[in-house]
Amino acid sequence: MDGVVLIAIGLVCLAAAWACWTGRWRGWSRIAVMPQMPITMLPGAGACLLLCGIGVLAGPPLQGVGIGLGVAVAIAGAVLALWGPSWWGPRWFRERDTTYDLSVPLNAAVAASVGTDPGPAASDAIARAQMGEREPDARWRAHLVSAEHGRPSAMQREGVVRGHLLLYPDALVFAADVREDRMRGRPVVKVIPAADIFAVRRAPAGAQADGSKAGNDLPSRVMPRLRIETGEGPVVFETASAGRRVRELESRYTREPVA
């Protein structure tokens, strides 16, 4: 590669590393995966390219010296990135809050994948315990639509708790899935006694329990929903094949046909 090009790319890398080091750009420090890379590997790569470019322009015998020094600097940067010593970096970086922002998708994905198994504290385990450890007659993939549970991370959708519906003869039970449990740090279980259900209806995509519509994400715009009328108010779930699910729930739980 032409020496001038190497020098130009190296200077761009060093400029970006300078912006990261001085804190003019701090967004990278919120990413959980190898957060020191912009102040270790990036300046190492920039210095490597710069020295190699100078060596190429200088020609032998300085060319070998420049390339050798560049490779050494790049290796040093990689070692620092893998080592991640606490003393490395500017003061603002060393003293930053290391509780990573879960609104960053990569951070949320890492947290969801490395979180501990909630075991008996999982929503599914609690739901089964409340139903006397009985096996449900059926288990459907469905999401509870509820604004009260919020959105703790980028892995969740606003106003939606992902999980399953468990069908028992005497109750319809929602239990959040294990990833929701990990991100929320608590179970989400809702038990609807069969005696409280008096109607089941198909609701349009994005429908809320209060009759309004919300949700800017794609699933909320296209996925149909179920509206279950109970004595304590409506409960809404998002699920595939909503029309068929309505008929099945109607025949199982409701006392009167749905109009």
Side-chain angles (χ1 to χ4, degrees), residues 36-110:
Q36 290 192 352
M37 288 183 67
I39 56 174
T40 53
M41 292 190 71
L42 183 60
C48 175
L49 293 171
L50 178 63
L51 291 169
C52 288
I54 293 174
V56 169
L57 290 179
L62 294 179
Q63 180 175 346
V65 175
I67 293 176
L69 288 175
V71 171
V73 173
I75 293 174
V79 170
L80 281 172
L82 295 172
W83 178 16
S86 58
W87 47 264
W88 179 260
R91 182 174 179 179
W92 72 263
F93 178 81
R94 299 194 307 271
E95 297 178 353
R96 77 194 188 286
D97 182 3
T98 55
T99 303
Y100 292 108
D101 185 358
L102 294 180
S103 66
V104 178
L106 181 57
N107 293 352
V110 170

